[in-house]
Amino acid sequence: MRGKTNEALDQAGRVQVAYKHLELTATAAPVAHDPLTEAAPFTIRTTEMESSQRREEGTPIFDSLDIDLVVKVLANTAFSPFFLFFVPTFYVFQGAKFSDNLVVASAIYWAIITTFWSFKWFSRLYRNQGSLVLRPPPLDWSEQIVVVTGGASGIGELLANTLAVRNVTVVVLDINPIVTENYNVTYYKCDVSKWEEVEAVSKKILEEIGEPTILVNNAGVVQGKLILDLSPEDIQQTFAVNTLSHFWVLKAFLPSLLKRKSGHIVTVSSAMGLTGAAQIADYSASKAAVIRLHESLRYELDKKYKCPQIRTTLVCPGHVLTPMFRTVKFSSSALFRFFCPSIQPVAVVKRIIAALDDQYSEDIFLPFYTNFIPYVGHLPSFLRDFVQWISGADYAMESFVKISGRRPDESPLSEDLRKQ
């Protein structure tokens, strides 16, 4: 099943890149036919396009050389109970006695690591009412109807196209149409920040498509302004799209899931919902509210609606290389990129599909450093400020330009940014 997911992601990724090239070609300025006067500019545009493509797609080796790769390797070697079991066994087979220090130390280390993973395993089973010996039956993707908000770009677009390649019925809600050639993706124009539009579209979906089984609340917008520079319209848009839209989608579609007593709700928040930084206050606050909504929803499903079989997954990614945060600037040092890497949308989509496939409720934090963000606030103030300074979060938005989610009352985007 995971192999099929990877194959579908590769296909959707290639389609996405082709669409991006078509968009660039369609929106670029006309190119004159004089090779002497236009050769250099064309070369520059081609180079910029290839450079942009490399940034969005990533390079196969060096872009993956970061702390996350190291953690993956260690998780399957130095911190793997299966692997560590053979270490003391190897010493014994080589003639060492059971009382030898190497055998005892390696056995104790194996016991500690095994206990840690056992606690994580039991915690997951407890949260999902799982069996000690049996896995849930495989998810029948052909029977699923997936609603994705904000599915016209970024993570939502890749997720919708990837699921569609797997012949899943996908419904995209967005103010802009999704670029796709998959026949099983249905687009409904809808401003999910407005309850009236969500309510009207939900009735159409129930009549024309059917009752959704999976909800992915993914729509988002960022302003990138200081608090005093935010207009009332900016603040209203941020909270309407990032927070209120989650409520509207739940109000519209949760009754269908409750009736079936099954389903999956994916809440896409952000690592910035776990902390704060300069020039992103409205975004951080809206994403923090979504995290609390996710937690409250989990307990309402368990305690009030008696539907623990409806799974809930929270996604808190760090910086994702999508158009929304394209103009954010982080440190270019190799050390920073190693410990705090930006991630491709495909990494987020893989984790979301894996959670849906497993049919378990879980919290997804990626890349690896985001797992420690909730604990930073407990540090002494001088260490807290040092971590903030190291991250560069307070300066990352200084040259930020809002690309996606621009309102009609905002000034038009520059030609250079539209071509990127």
Side-chain angles (χ1 to χ4, degrees), residues 14 42 91 110 136 170 184 261 311 326 343:
R14 288 194 295 271
F42 178 79
Y91 285 126
W110 170 80
V170 182
N184 47 343
K261 293 187 178 297
R311 307 307 188 191
R326 181 176 295 168
I343 57 176

Side-chain angles (χ1 to χ4, degrees), residues 125-188:
L125 291 180
Y126 172 80
R127 168 55 64 195
N128 295 278
Q129 306 82 42
S131 169
L132 291 175
V133 293
L134 300 176
R135 287 179 57 85
L139 182 65
D140 187 355
W141 281 104
S142 64
E143 298 294 326
Q144 306 306 310
I145 299 177
V146 184
V147 174
V148 182
T149 67
S153 64
I155 295 172
E157 180 187 17
L158 183 58
L159 176 62
N161 278 313
T162 302
L163 292 176
V165 170
R166 299 179 64 173
N167 294 321
V168 180
T169 300
V170 182
V171 178
V172 170
L173 305 184
D174 205 307
I175 57 175
N176 298 313
I178 180 175
V179 178
T180 183
E181 292 182 349
N182 294 296
Y183 68 92
N184 47 343
V185 174
T186 305
Y187 164 72
Y188 288 90

Side-chain angles (χ1 to χ4, degrees), residues 86 99 124 181 192 206 221 281 291:
F86 293 100
S99 58
R124 191 182 192 193
E181 292 182 349
V192 292
L206 293 175
V221 69
I291 294 175

